[in-house]
Amino acid sequence: MKKVKLETELTVYDALDQLPKDVIELMNKAKEARKNAYAPYSNFSVGAAIRLDNNKIVTGNNQENASYPSGLCAERTAIFAAGANFPKSKIVTMAIIAGSNEKETDSPIPPCGACRQSIAEYEVKQNAPIAIYFMGVKGKVVKSDSLANLLPLIFDRTQL
Ligand code: THU
């Protein structure tokens, strides 16, 4: 028997303006996309923006449904749109901004487990890391250099 300790690494920035211009631009696209979230049940709106290696930006937001599980998170809406429309492009960066519509969420909101699994699929497919930035509607921004840092022990195609 042996115990295994897993380590991960994230970078925390105090505010969005400390990040490079291209990341600020991408987060602002996510912010725009968040405005179109359809979240009448949770009142929690999320926007996501993806930069591809051809420099195109693809966005998404959460889309809820009266049959709750039929809705979809912003990150998957965005990444599936990227996969559907630009299947040959690599995903370089994803920016996520999330928060309640009832109060000002000021802590960084990470992608849920199902979204991490979906993002992992594309990271494995393209064999290149996807940098992920996430934040609340204001305040600190967290950067993960790769999805793998957010989801250790991923299940992927190599195990099938
Ligand atoms: N949501 C996202 O869009 N992304 C996440 O990673 C977490 C949750 C959405 C789903 C639902 O519409 C609302 O936020 C509340 O869970």
Side-chain angles (χ1 to χ4, degrees):
M1 192 274 259
K2 67 170 182 175
K3 290 200 177 177
V4 179
K5 227 181 204 160
L6 301 174
E7 269 197 349
T8 194
E9 191 180 75
L10 301 169
T11 311
V12 182
Y13 298 87
D14 283 332
L16 185 60
D17 61 15
Q18 293 179 356
L19 286 147
K21 242 176 83 181
D22 60 319
V23 178
I24 296 174
E25 183 201 22
L26 195 66
M27 192 60 87
N28 283 333
K29 295 279 184 193
K31 202 183 233 176
E32 276 297 302
R34 181 174 175 267
K35 290 183 190 158
N36 292 331
Y38 176 61
Y41 306 108
S42 71
N43 264 323
F44 191 85
S45 296
V46 186
I50 286 169
R51 191 184 295 280
L52 303 173
D53 62 355
N54 60 11
N55 234 4
K56 284 207 161 72
I57 292 176
V58 180
T59 62
N61 44 48
N62 51 329
Q63 295 293 315
E64 296 186 349
N65 193 284
S67 171
Y68 294 178
S70 300
L72 196 64
C73 291
E75 296 88 331
R76 277 177 286 164
T77 305
I79 208 158
F80 293 157
N85 293 299
F86 302 99
K88 296 207 169 98
S89 300
K90 288 190 178 180
I91 295 163
V92 183
T93 315
M94 179 185 271
I96 306 158
I97 182 163
S100 166
N101 301 333
E102 288 149 12
K103 60 176 188 195
E104 211 168 38
T105 303
D106 58 6
S107 58
I109 308 294
C112 78
C115 287
R116 293 181 205 194
Q117 180 66 31
S118 295
I119 299 165
E121 180 69 27
Y122 294 90
E123 196 166 91
V124 172
K125 175 188 171 220
Q126 68 184 27
N127 193 27
I130 299 173
I132 299 170
Y133 294 84
F134 56 90
M135 67 180 297
V137 293
K138 65 172 193 181
K140 292 189 188 332
V141 182
V142 176
K143 179 189 185 195
S144 177
D145 292 333
S146 158
L147 185 279
N149 291 344
L150 293 177
L151 188 65
L153 302 180
I154 57 165
F155 175 74
D156 67 40
R157 66 212 271 180
T158 65
Q159 293 148 9
L160 292 174

